[in-house]
Coordinates of all heavy atoms in Angstrom, one line a residue:
M1 N 22.9 7.6 10.3 CA 23.5 6.8 9.3 C 24.6 5.9 10.0 O 25.4 6.4 10.7 CB 24.0 7.5 8.1 CG 24.5 6.7 7.0 SD 24.8 7.6 5.5 CE 26.1 8.6 5.9
N2 N 24.5 4.6 9.7 CA 25.4 3.7 10.4 C 25.8 2.6 9.4 O 25.1 1.6 9.3 CB 24.9 3.2 11.7 CG 25.9 2.2 12.4 OD1 27.0 2.2 12.1 ND2 25.4 1.5 13.4
G3 N 26.9 2.8 8.6 CA 27.2 1.7 7.7 C 26.2 1.5 6.6 O 25.9 2.4 5.8
D4 N 25.6 0.3 6.6 CA 24.6 0.0 5.7 C 23.1 0.2 6.2 O 22.2 -0.3 5.6 CB 24.7 -1.5 5.3 CG 25.8 -1.7 4.4 OD1 26.3 -0.8 3.7 OD2 26.4 -2.9 4.3
A5 N 23.0 1.0 7.3 CA 21.7 1.3 7.8 C 21.5 2.8 7.9 O 22.4 3.6 8.2 CB 21.6 0.8 9.3
H6 N 20.3 3.2 7.5 CA 20.0 4.7 7.5 C 18.6 4.8 8.2 O 17.8 4.0 8.1 CB 19.8 5.2 6.1 CG 21.0 5.1 5.3 ND1 22.0 6.1 5.2 CD2 21.5 4.1 4.5 CE1 22.9 5.7 4.4 NE2 22.7 4.5 4.0
A7 N 18.5 5.9 8.9 CA 17.2 6.3 9.5 C 16.9 7.7 9.2 O 17.7 8.6 9.3 CB 17.3 6.1 11.1
I8 N 15.7 7.9 8.7 CA 15.2 9.3 8.2 C 13.9 9.6 9.1 O 12.9 8.9 9.0 CB 14.8 9.2 6.7 CG1 16.0 8.7 5.9 CG2 14.3 10.6 6.3 CD1 15.7 8.3 4.5
A9 N 14.1 10.6 9.9 CA 13.0 11.0 10.8 C 12.0 12.0 10.0 O 12.5 12.9 9.4 CB 13.5 11.7 12.0
L10 N 10.7 11.7 10.1 CA 9.7 12.6 9.6 C 9.1 13.4 10.7 O 8.6 12.8 11.7 CB 8.6 11.8 8.9 CG 9.0 10.9 7.7 CD1 7.9 10.1 7.2 CD2 9.7 11.8 6.7
R11 N 9.2 14.7 10.7 CA 8.8 15.6 11.8 C 8.0 16.8 11.2 O 8.4 17.3 10.1 CB 10.1 16.0 12.5 CG 9.8 17.0 13.7 CD 11.1 17.3 14.4 NE 11.6 16.0 15.1 CZ 12.8 15.9 15.4 NH1 13.8 16.8 15.2 NH2 13.2 14.8 16.0
I12 N 7.0 17.2 11.9 CA 6.2 18.3 11.5 C 6.3 19.4 12.6 O 6.5 19.1 13.7 CB 4.8 18.0 11.2 CG1 4.1 17.4 12.4 CG2 4.7 17.0 10.1 CD1 2.6 17.3 12.3
D13 N 6.2 20.7 12.1 CA 6.1 21.8 13.0 C 4.7 21.9 13.5 O 3.7 22.1 12.7 CB 6.5 23.1 12.4 CG 8.0 23.1 12.0 OD1 8.8 22.5 12.8 OD2 8.3 23.8 11.0
M14 N 4.5 21.8 14.8 CA 3.1 22.0 15.4 C 2.8 23.5 15.6 O 1.7 24.0 15.4 CB 3.1 21.3 16.8 CG 3.3 19.8 16.7 SD 2.1 18.9 15.8 CE 0.7 19.0 16.9
N15 N 3.8 24.3 15.9 CA 3.7 25.7 16.0 C 5.2 26.3 16.0 O 6.1 25.5 15.7 CB 2.9 26.2 17.3 CG 3.5 25.7 18.6 OD1 4.8 25.6 18.7 ND2 2.7 25.2 19.5
D16 N 5.4 27.5 16.3 CA 6.7 28.1 16.3 C 7.7 27.4 17.3 O 8.9 27.5 17.0 CB 6.7 29.6 16.5 CG 6.0 30.4 15.4 OD1 6.0 29.8 14.3 OD2 5.6 31.5 15.6
N17 N 7.2 26.8 18.3 CA 8.1 26.3 19.3 C 8.1 24.8 19.5 O 8.8 24.2 20.2 CB 7.7 26.9 20.7 CG 7.8 28.4 20.7 OD1 8.8 29.0 20.2 ND2 6.8 29.1 21.2
E18 N 7.1 24.1 18.9 CA 7.0 22.6 19.0 C 7.1 21.9 17.7 O 6.5 22.3 16.7 CB 5.7 22.3 19.7 CG 5.5 22.9 21.2 CD 4.2 22.5 21.7 OE1 3.2 23.2 21.5 OE2 4.1 21.4 22.4
T19 N 7.6 20.7 17.8 CA 7.6 19.8 16.7 C 7.0 18.4 17.1 O 6.9 18.2 18.3 CB 9.0 19.5 16.1 OG1 9.8 18.9 17.1 CG2 9.6 20.8 15.6
Q20 N 6.5 17.6 16.1 CA 6.0 16.3 16.4 C 6.6 15.3 15.5 O 6.6 15.5 14.3 CB 4.4 16.3 16.2 CG 3.8 15.0 16.3 CD 3.8 14.3 17.6 OE1 3.4 14.9 18.6 NE2 4.3 13.1 17.7
D21 N 7.2 14.3 16.0 CA 7.7 13.2 15.2 C 6.5 12.5 14.7 O 5.6 12.2 15.4 CB 8.6 12.3 16.0 CG 10.0 12.9 16.3 OD1 10.3 14.0 15.8 OD2 10.7 12.4 17.2
V22 N 6.5 12.1 13.4 CA 5.5 11.3 12.8 C 5.9 9.9 12.6 O 5.1 9.0 12.9 CB 5.1 12.0 11.5 CG1 4.0 11.2 10.7 CG2 4.6 13.4 11.7
A23 N 7.1 9.7 12.0 CA 7.6 8.3 11.7 C 9.0 8.4 11.5 O 9.6 9.4 11.3 CB 6.8 7.8 10.5
V24 N 9.6 7.2 11.4 CA 11.0 7.0 11.1 C 11.1 6.0 9.9 O 10.5 4.9 10.1 CB 11.9 6.6 12.2 CG1 13.3 6.3 11.8 CG2 11.9 7.6 13.4
I25 N 11.7 6.4 8.8 CA 11.9 5.4 7.7 C 13.3 4.8 8.0 O 14.3 5.5 8.0 CB 11.9 6.1 6.4 CG1 10.5 6.8 6.2 CG2 12.1 5.1 5.2 CD1 10.5 7.7 5.0
E26 N 13.3 3.5 8.1 CA 14.6 2.8 8.3 C 14.9 1.9 7.1 O 14.1 1.2 6.5 CB 14.4 1.8 9.5 CG 14.1 2.5 10.8 CD 13.8 1.6 12.0 OE1 13.8 0.4 11.8 OE2 13.7 2.1 13.1
V27 N 16.1 2.2 6.6 CA 16.6 1.5 5.3 C 17.9 0.8 5.7 O 18.8 1.4 6.3 CB 16.9 2.6 4.2 CG1 17.3 1.9 2.9 CG2 15.7 3.4 4.0
E28 N 17.9 -0.5 5.4 CA 19.1 -1.3 5.7 C 19.4 -2.2 4.6 O 18.5 -2.9 3.9 CB 18.9 -2.1 7.0 CG 20.1 -2.9 7.5 CD 19.8 -3.5 8.8 OE1 18.6 -3.5 9.3 OE2 20.7 -4.0 9.4
R29 N 20.7 -2.5 4.4 CA 21.2 -3.5 3.4 C 21.8 -4.6 4.2 O 22.7 -4.4 5.0 CB 22.2 -2.9 2.4 CG 22.7 -3.8 1.4 CD 23.6 -3.3 0.4 NE 24.3 -2.1 0.8 CZ 24.6 -1.1 -0.1 NH1 24.3 -1.2 -1.3 NH2 25.2 0.0 0.4
D30 N 21.4 -5.9 3.9 CA 21.8 -7.0 4.7 C 23.1 -7.6 4.1 O 23.6 -7.1 3.1 CB 20.7 -8.0 4.9 CG 20.3 -8.7 3.6 OD1 21.0 -8.6 2.6 OD2 19.2 -9.2 3.6
A31 N 23.6 -8.7 4.6 CA 24.8 -9.3 4.2 C 24.6 -9.9 2.8 O 25.6 -10.1 2.1 CB 25.2 -10.4 5.2
N32 N 23.4 -10.2 2.3 CA 23.2 -10.7 1.0 C 22.9 -9.5 -0.1 O 22.4 -9.8 -1.1 CB 22.0 -11.6 1.0 CG 22.3 -12.9 1.8 OD1 23.4 -13.4 1.8 ND2 21.3 -13.3 2.6
N33 N 23.2 -8.3 0.4 CA 23.0 -7.1 -0.4 C 21.6 -6.8 -0.8 O 21.3 -6.2 -1.8 CB 24.0 -7.2 -1.7 CG 24.3 -5.8 -2.2 OD1 24.5 -4.9 -1.4 ND2 24.5 -5.7 -3.5
Q34 N 20.7 -7.3 0.0 CA 19.2 -7.0 -0.1 C 18.9 -5.8 0.7 O 19.4 -5.7 1.8 CB 18.4 -8.3 0.3 CG 18.7 -9.5 -0.5 CD 18.1 -9.3 -1.9 OE1 17.0 -8.9 -2.2 NE2 19.0 -9.6 -2.9
T35 N 18.1 -5.0 0.1 CA 17.7 -3.7 0.8 C 16.3 -3.9 1.5 O 15.4 -4.5 0.9 CB 17.6 -2.6 -0.2 OG1 18.9 -2.4 -0.8 CG2 17.3 -1.3 0.6
H36 N 16.2 -3.5 2.7 CA 15.0 -3.7 3.5 C 14.5 -2.3 4.0 O 15.4 -1.5 4.4 CB 15.1 -4.6 4.7 CG 15.6 -5.9 4.3 ND1 14.8 -7.0 3.8 CD2 16.9 -6.5 4.2 CE1 15.5 -8.0 3.5 NE2 16.7 -7.8 3.7
V37 N 13.2 -2.0 3.9 CA 12.7 -0.7 4.3 C 11.5 -1.0 5.3 O 10.7 -1.9 5.1 CB 12.2 0.1 3.2 CG1 11.5 1.4 3.6 CG2 13.2 0.4 2.2
Q38 N 11.6 -0.2 6.4 CA 10.4 -0.2 7.4 C 10.1 1.2 7.7 O 11.0 2.1 7.8 CB 10.8 -0.9 8.7 CG 10.9 -2.4 8.6 CD 11.1 -3.0 10.0 OE1 11.6 -2.4 10.9 NE2 10.6 -4.2 10.1
I39 N 8.8 1.5 7.8 CA 8.3 2.8 8.2 C 7.7 2.6 9.6 O 6.8 1.8 9.8 CB 7.3 3.5 7.3 CG1 7.9 3.6 5.9 CG2 6.9 4.8 7.8 CD1 7.0 4.0 4.8
V40 N 8.3 3.2 10.7 CA 7.9 3.0 12.0 C 7.1 4.2 12.5 O 7.7 5.3 12.6 CB 9.0 2.6 12.9 CG1 8.5 2.4 14.4 CG2 9.8 1.5 12.4
G41 N 5.8 4.1 12.7 CA 5.0 5.2 13.2 C 5.4 5.6 14.6 O 5.6 4.8 15.4
D42 N 5.3 6.9 14.9 CA 5.5 7.3 16.2 C 4.5 6.7 17.2 O 3.3 6.8 16.9 CB 5.5 8.9 16.3 CG 5.9 9.4 17.6 OD1 7.1 9.4 17.9 OD2 5.0 9.8 18.4
E43 N 5.0 6.2 18.3 CA 4.2 5.5 19.3 C 3.0 6.4 19.8 O 1.9 6.0 20.1 CB 5.0 5.0 20.4 CG 4.2 4.1 21.4 CD 5.1 3.4 22.4 OE1 6.3 3.3 22.1 OE2 4.6 3.0 23.4
S44 N 3.3 7.7 20.0 CA 2.3 8.6 20.6 C 1.2 8.9 19.7 O 0.1 9.2 20.0 CB 2.9 9.9 21.1 OG 3.5 10.7 20.0
L45 N 1.4 8.7 18.3 CA 0.3 8.9 17.3 C -0.3 7.6 16.9 O -1.6 7.6 16.7 CB 0.9 9.5 16.1 CG 1.4 11.0 16.2 CD1 2.1 11.4 14.9 CD2 0.3 11.9 16.5
Y46 N 0.5 6.5 16.8 CA -0.1 5.3 16.2 C -0.1 4.1 17.1 O -0.6 3.0 16.8 CB 0.8 4.9 14.9 CG 0.9 6.0 13.9 CD1 1.9 6.8 13.7 CD2 -0.3 6.1 13.1 CE1 2.0 7.8 12.8 CE2 -0.3 7.2 12.1 CZ 0.9 8.0 12.0 OH 0.8 8.9 11.0
G47 N 0.4 4.2 18.3 CA 0.5 3.2 19.2 C 1.8 2.4 19.1 O 2.6 2.6 18.2
K48 N 2.0 1.4 20.0 CA 3.2 0.6 20.0 C 3.4 -0.3 18.8 O 2.4 -0.9 18.4 CB 3.2 -0.2 21.3 CG 4.5 -0.9 21.5 CD 4.6 -1.6 22.8 CE 5.8 -2.4 22.9 NZ 6.5 -2.4 24.1
D49 N 4.6 -0.3 18.3 CA 4.9 -1.3 17.2 C 4.1 -1.1 15.9 O 3.7 -2.2 15.3 CB 4.9 -2.7 17.7 CG 5.9 -3.0 18.9 OD1 6.9 -2.3 18.9 OD2 5.6 -3.8 19.7
Y50 N 3.8 0.1 15.5 CA 3.1 0.3 14.2 C 4.2 0.4 13.2 O 4.9 1.4 13.0 CB 2.3 1.6 14.3 CG 1.4 1.8 13.1 CD1 0.1 1.2 13.1 CD2 1.8 2.4 12.0 CE1 -0.7 1.4 12.0 CE2 1.0 2.5 10.9 CZ -0.3 2.0 10.9 OH -1.0 2.1 9.8
I51 N 4.3 -0.7 12.4 CA 5.3 -0.8 11.4 C 4.7 -1.1 10.0 O 3.9 -2.0 9.9 CB 6.4 -1.8 11.8 CG1 7.0 -1.5 13.1 CG2 7.4 -2.1 10.7 CD1 7.9 -2.6 13.7
V52 N 5.2 -0.4 9.0 CA 4.7 -0.7 7.6 C 5.9 -1.1 6.8 O 7.0 -0.4 6.9 CB 4.0 0.6 7.0 CG1 3.6 0.3 5.6 CG2 2.8 1.0 7.8
E53 N 5.8 -2.1 6.0 CA 6.8 -2.5 5.1 C 6.4 -2.6 3.7 O 5.2 -2.9 3.4 CB 7.4 -3.9 5.5 CG 8.0 -4.0 6.9 CD 8.5 -5.3 7.3 OE1 8.0 -6.3 6.7 OE2 9.3 -5.4 8.2
P54 N 7.1 -2.2 2.7 CA 6.7 -2.2 1.3 C 6.3 -3.6 0.9 O 6.8 -4.7 1.4 CB 7.9 -1.9 0.5 CG 8.8 -1.1 1.5 CD 8.5 -1.7 2.8
N55 N 5.2 -3.7 0.1 CA 4.6 -5.0 -0.4 C 4.0 -5.8 0.7 O 3.8 -7.0 0.5 CB 5.7 -5.8 -1.2 CG 6.0 -5.2 -2.5 OD1 5.2 -4.5 -3.1 ND2 7.3 -5.3 -2.8
Q56 N 3.7 -5.2 1.8 CA 3.1 -5.9 2.9 C 1.6 -6.2 2.5 O 0.9 -5.4 2.0 CB 3.1 -5.0 4.2 CG 2.4 -5.6 5.4 CD 2.6 -4.7 6.6 OE1 3.4 -3.9 6.6 NE2 1.7 -4.8 7.5
N57 N 1.2 -7.4 2.7 CA -0.2 -7.8 2.3 C -1.2 -7.7 3.4 O -2.4 -7.9 3.3 CB -0.2 -9.3 1.8 CG 0.6 -9.4 0.5 OD1 0.6 -8.5 -0.3 ND2 1.4 -10.5 0.4
T58 N -0.8 -7.2 4.6 CA -1.6 -7.1 5.7 C -2.2 -5.7 5.7 O -1.6 -4.7 5.5 CB -0.9 -7.2 7.1 OG1 -0.2 -8.5 7.0 CG2 -1.8 -7.1 8.2
P59 N -3.6 -5.6 5.8 CA -4.2 -4.2 5.8 C -3.7 -3.4 6.9 O -3.4 -3.9 8.0 CB -5.7 -4.5 5.9 CG -5.9 -6.0 5.6 CD -4.5 -6.6 5.9
N60 N -3.8 -2.1 6.7 CA -3.4 -1.1 7.7 C -4.4 -1.2 8.9 O -5.5 -0.9 8.7 CB -3.4 0.3 7.1 CG -3.0 1.3 8.1 OD1 -3.0 1.2 9.2 ND2 -2.7 2.5 7.5
P61 N -3.9 -1.6 10.1 CA -4.8 -1.8 11.2 C -5.4 -0.4 11.7 O -6.4 -0.4 12.4 CB -4.0 -2.5 12.3 CG -2.6 -2.0 11.9 CD -2.6 -1.9 10.4
G62 N -4.8 0.7 11.4 CA -5.3 2.0 11.9 C -6.3 2.6 10.9 O -6.8 3.7 11.2
Y63 N -6.6 2.0 9.8 CA -7.5 2.6 8.8 C -8.8 1.8 8.7 O -8.8 0.6 8.6 CB -6.8 2.6 7.4 CG -7.7 3.2 6.3 CD1 -7.8 4.5 6.3 CD2 -8.3 2.4 5.4 CE1 -8.6 5.1 5.3 CE2 -9.1 3.0 4.4 CZ -9.2 4.4 4.4 OH -9.9 5.0 3.4
S64 N -9.9 2.5 8.8 CA -11.2 1.9 8.8 C -12.1 2.3 7.7 O -13.3 2.0 7.6 CB -11.9 2.1 10.2 OG -12.1 3.4 10.3
G65 N -11.6 3.1 6.7 CA -12.4 3.6 5.6 C -12.6 2.5 4.5 O -12.2 1.4 4.7
G66 N -13.2 2.9 3.4 CA -13.5 2.0 2.4 C -12.6 2.0 1.2 O -12.8 1.3 0.2
A67 N -11.5 2.8 1.3 CA -10.6 2.9 0.1 C -9.7 1.7 0.0 O -9.5 1.0 1.0 CB -9.7 4.1 0.3
V68 N -9.3 1.4 -1.2 CA -8.4 0.3 -1.5 C -7.0 0.7 -1.2 O -6.6 1.7 -1.7 CB -8.6 -0.2 -2.9 CG1 -7.6 -1.3 -3.3 CG2 -10.0 -0.6 -3.2
E69 N -6.3 -0.1 -0.4 CA -4.9 0.3 -0.2 C -4.0 -0.1 -1.3 O -4.2 -1.1 -2.0 CB -4.4 -0.5 1.1 CG -4.9 0.0 2.3 CD -4.2 -0.6 3.5 OE1 -3.0 -0.7 3.5 OE2 -4.9 -1.0 4.5
Q70 N -3.0 0.7 -1.6 CA -2.0 0.5 -2.6 C -0.6 0.8 -2.0 O -0.5 1.6 -1.2 CB -2.2 1.4 -3.8 CG -3.5 1.1 -4.6 CD -3.7 2.0 -5.7 OE1 -3.3 3.2 -5.7 NE2 -4.2 1.6 -6.7
T71 N 0.3 0.0 -2.4 CA 1.7 0.2 -2.0 C 2.5 0.6 -3.2 O 2.5 0.0 -4.2 CB 2.3 -1.2 -1.4 OG1 1.5 -1.6 -0.4 CG2 3.8 -0.9 -1.0
T72 N 3.2 1.7 -3.0 CA 4.1 2.2 -4.0 C 5.5 1.8 -3.7 O 6.0 2.0 -2.6 CB 4.1 3.8 -4.1 OG1 2.7 4.2 -4.3 CG2 5.0 4.3 -5.2
V73 N 6.1 1.1 -4.6 CA 7.5 0.6 -4.4 C 8.5 1.6 -5.0 O 8.4 1.9 -6.2 CB 7.7 -0.8 -5.0 CG1 9.1 -1.3 -4.8 CG2 6.7 -1.8 -4.3
I74 N 9.4 2.0 -4.3 CA 10.4 3.0 -4.8 C 11.8 2.3 -4.7 O 12.2 1.9 -3.7 CB 10.4 4.3 -4.0 CG1 9.0 4.9 -4.0 CG2 11.5 5.2 -4.5 CD1 8.9 6.1 -3.1
P75 N 12.5 2.2 -5.9 CA 13.8 1.5 -5.8 C 14.8 2.4 -5.0 O 14.9 3.6 -5.2 CB 14.2 1.5 -7.3 CG 13.0 1.8 -8.1 CD 12.1 2.6 -7.2
I76 N 15.4 1.8 -4.0 CA 16.3 2.5 -3.1 C 17.7 2.0 -3.2 O 18.6 2.5 -2.5 CB 15.8 2.5 -1.7 CG1 15.6 1.0 -1.2 CG2 14.5 3.2 -1.6 CD1 15.4 0.9 0.2
S77 N 18.0 1.1 -4.0 CA 19.4 0.6 -4.0 C 20.4 1.6 -4.3 O 21.5 1.6 -3.8 CB 19.5 -0.6 -5.0 OG 19.0 -0.2 -6.3
G78 N 20.0 2.6 -5.2 CA 20.9 3.7 -5.5 C 21.1 4.6 -4.3 O 22.2 5.2 -4.2
F79 N 20.1 4.7 -3.4 CA 20.2 5.5 -2.2 C 21.3 5.0 -1.4 O 22.2 5.8 -0.9 CB 18.9 5.6 -1.5 CG 19.0 6.3 -0.2 CD1 18.9 7.6 -0.1 CD2 19.1 5.5 1.0 CE1 19.0 8.3 1.1 CE2 19.1 6.2 2.2 CZ 19.1 7.5 2.3
L80 N 21.4 3.7 -1.1 CA 22.4 3.2 -0.3 C 23.8 3.3 -0.9 O 24.8 3.5 -0.3 CB 22.1 1.8 0.1 CG 20.9 1.7 1.1 CD1 20.6 0.2 1.3 CD2 21.2 2.3 2.4
A81 N 23.8 3.1 -2.3 CA 25.1 3.1 -3.0 C 25.8 4.4 -2.9 O 27.0 4.6 -3.0 CB 24.9 2.6 -4.4
N82 N 24.9 5.5 -2.8 CA 25.5 6.8 -2.9 C 25.8 7.4 -1.6 O 26.3 8.5 -1.5 CB 24.5 7.8 -3.6 CG 24.3 7.4 -5.0 OD1 25.2 7.0 -5.7 ND2 23.1 7.5 -5.6
H83 N 25.6 6.7 -0.5 CA 25.9 7.2 0.9 C 26.9 6.4 1.6 O 27.0 5.3 1.5 CB 24.6 7.3 1.7 CG 23.6 8.4 1.1 ND1 23.7 8.8 -0.2 CD2 22.6 9.0 1.7 CE1 22.8 9.7 -0.4 NE2 22.1 9.8 0.7

C-alpha cells in the first residue's frame, strides 16, 4: 500500500513448500478522485503484459471457448476511503 495505490497479490499453494503467484490486483485513486483497477496476470502463467480492466470491451485473448464474457463491477471507492 502506498498512499492512494494498493496492490493485492493472488497466490496459491502448489504443495507444502511451494507457492505460485497468479495475479496482482492494482487499485489506485488519481488526482481527480477517480478509482482505477487493473488485474495483472503473472507473466509465467499468462505471458507478458496480460492486463484486465473492469468494463474492458476487448475479449480475453487467452480464452478460446464459446462462453460469453461478462464483467462484474464491484464498487471500490469505500475500500480506498477505509485504508
Side-chain angles (χ1 to χ4, degrees):
M1 186 166 69
N2 181 13
D4 287 336
H6 300 266
I8 304 160
L10 300 178
R11 180 176 290 158
I12 60 169
D13 291 329
M14 300 296 288
N15 57 42
D16 289 341
N17 301 316
E18 294 180 276
T19 60
Q20 170 68 55
D21 289 345
V22 176
V24 175
I25 302 171
E26 299 175 354
V27 182
E28 183 174 8
R29 184 175 20 215
D30 65 18
N32 296 322
N33 209 30
Q34 296 294 309
T35 304
H36 303 276
V37 176
Q38 286 188 331
I39 303 170
V40 181
D42 186 76
E43 185 173 341
S44 64
L45 293 175
Y46 301 105
K48 185 176 172 138
D49 297 328
Y50 189 90
I51 299 171
V52 178
E53 296 178 340
N55 294 326
Q56 179 177 337
N57 294 324
T58 305
N60 179 341
Y63 181 73
S64 60
V68 176
E69 286 192 43
Q70 295 179 325
T71 301
T72 302
V73 178
I74 301 170
I76 57 167
S77 57
F79 173 78
L80 288 174
N82 293 325
H83 292 20

